[in-house]
């Protein structure tokens, strides 16, 4: 088989078998990460007793562990306690827990960066805590979270490749299997890299544009 036909077959195979699973992992995983991270960030910012301390343990725990360990724990350890998850569910859950911890810090940092005068002005207007957060603090914080969240999405997409170790047929897993049969690692992983660049580059470009716009507005 010549190089061109091999490359074409790899593109088709990765697009049909691996890409849909990788996109599902990335989208579903980050959707849950945003939900978990937003709740965690808000709770820690508001310093809700007990719950804030518990969530701090979660964040420190997830940020301190390699993603691979989280994945192995969910896939290999939980069955000993009677909870067996599919590879896809494990991947989405691990990605959500891992990215959620980082998203929560992005949210919390953005909230803390809002000047105290904004809080004081809202209090002068007799706003409740809910009203201050909804109408004054959160709208400003959202704008600040966009660039770092874009970067976190890229890291999240790249982390989906680690899920291949539990035999989930995402992009990296499909490429590894094909490499074992065609014995062409350079071509195989060159084609694989094209897919990851195609997924990540638009987000990186968007992140760069957002940062430029924010700098322009603040100057």
């Amino acid at each position: 088989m010549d190089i061109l036909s091999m490359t074409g077959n790899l593109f088709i195979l990765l697009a049909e078998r691996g890409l849909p699973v990788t996109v599902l992992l990335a989208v579903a995983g980050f959707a849950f990460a945003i939900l978990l991270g937003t709740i965690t960030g808000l709770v820690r910012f508001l310093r809700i007793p007990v719950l804030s301390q518990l969530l701090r343990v979660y964040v420190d725990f997830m940020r301190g562990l390699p993603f691979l360990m989280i994945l192995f724990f969910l896939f290999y350890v939980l069955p000993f306690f009677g909870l067996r998850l599919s590879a896809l569910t494990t991947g989405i859950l691990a990605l959500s827990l891992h990215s959620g911890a980082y998203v929560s810090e992005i949210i919390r940092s953005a909230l803390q960066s809002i000047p105290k005068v904004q809080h004081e002005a809202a209090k002068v207007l007799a706003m409740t805590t809910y009203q201050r957060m909804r109408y004054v603090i959160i709208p400003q914080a959202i704008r600040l979270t966009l660039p770092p969240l874009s970067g976190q999405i890229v890291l999240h997409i790249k982390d989906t490749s680690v899920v291949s170790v539990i035999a989930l047929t995402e992009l990296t897993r499909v490429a590894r299997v094909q490499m074992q049969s065609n014995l062409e690692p350079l071509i195989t992983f060159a084609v694989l890299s094209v897919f990851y660049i195609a997924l990540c580059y638009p987000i990186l470009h968007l992140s760069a544009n957002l940062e430029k716009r924010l700098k322009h507005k603040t100057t």
Side-chain angles (χ1 to χ4, degrees):
M1 183 181 296
D2 61 82
I3 294 177
L4 287 178
S5 61
M6 180 187 299
T7 303
N9 289 337
L10 278 171
F11 267 105
I12 294 172
L13 195 64
L14 289 173
E16 290 181 348
R17 295 186 183 180
L19 185 60
V21 178
T22 293
V23 171
L24 177 59
L25 284 170
V27 173
F30 205 74
F32 286 118
I34 286 289
L35 178 62
L36 178 60
T38 299
I39 294 172
T40 302
L42 282 170
V43 169
R44 293 193 63 199
F45 173 75
L46 295 172
R47 298 180 181 178
I48 298 175
V50 182
L51 189 56
S52 179
Q53 284 74 23
L54 290 175
L55 289 176
R56 180 179 180 179
V57 173
Y58 151 71
V59 171
D60 292 342
F61 189 75
M62 287 296 162
R63 294 177 70 195
L65 285 178
F67 175 63
L68 187 61
M69 283 191 62
I70 300 170
L71 195 64
F72 279 168
F73 178 84
L74 294 175
F75 195 69
Y76 294 113
V77 178
L78 286 186
F80 285 98
F81 299 94
L83 183 59
R84 186 177 298 276
L85 304 175
S86 67
L88 180 60
T89 303
T90 300
I92 292 174
L93 181 59
L95 287 164
S96 301
L97 292 172
H98 185 252
S99 292
Y102 289 92
V103 170
S104 73
E105 288 300 281
I106 292 173
I107 299 294
R108 187 172 69 92
S109 297
L111 292 169
Q112 289 179 335
S113 68
I114 305 301
K116 290 184 178 180
V117 66
Q118 300 281 353
H119 296 267
E120 294 170 358
K123 288 180 181 178
V124 170
L125 295 173
M127 287 185 173
T128 63
T129 301
Y130 172 77
Q131 290 173 328
R132 291 199 304 269
M133 294 299 295
R134 179 178 178 182
Y135 298 110
V136 179
I137 308 304
I138 291 179
Q140 297 180 74
I142 288 176
R143 184 170 59 90
L144 299 175
T145 63
L146 295 179
L149 278 179
S150 299
Q152 186 58 42
I153 292 172
V154 172
L155 295 174
H156 181 86
I157 292 173
K158 291 190 286 188
D159 281 342
T160 61
S161 63
V162 181
V163 184
S164 64
V165 299
I166 58 173
L168 186 63
T169 54
E170 46 70 67
L171 281 171
T172 301
R173 175 70 179 180
V174 174
R176 286 174 58 192
V177 171
Q178 288 305 303
M179 186 264 294
Q180 292 170 358
S181 62
N182 63 28
L183 302 178
E184 290 287 351
L186 179 59
I187 296 175
T188 302
F189 288 109
V191 172
L192 176 63
S193 67
V194 171
F195 279 88
Y196 282 111
I197 291 171
L199 288 171
C200 295
Y201 179 76
I203 300 171
L204 289 170
H205 183 68
L206 176 63
S207 177
N209 286 338
L210 286 172
E211 288 183 9
K212 288 180 181 178
R213 289 184 180 182
L214 288 176
K215 287 181 181 178
H216 179 71
K217 288 182 178 180
T218 54
T219 55

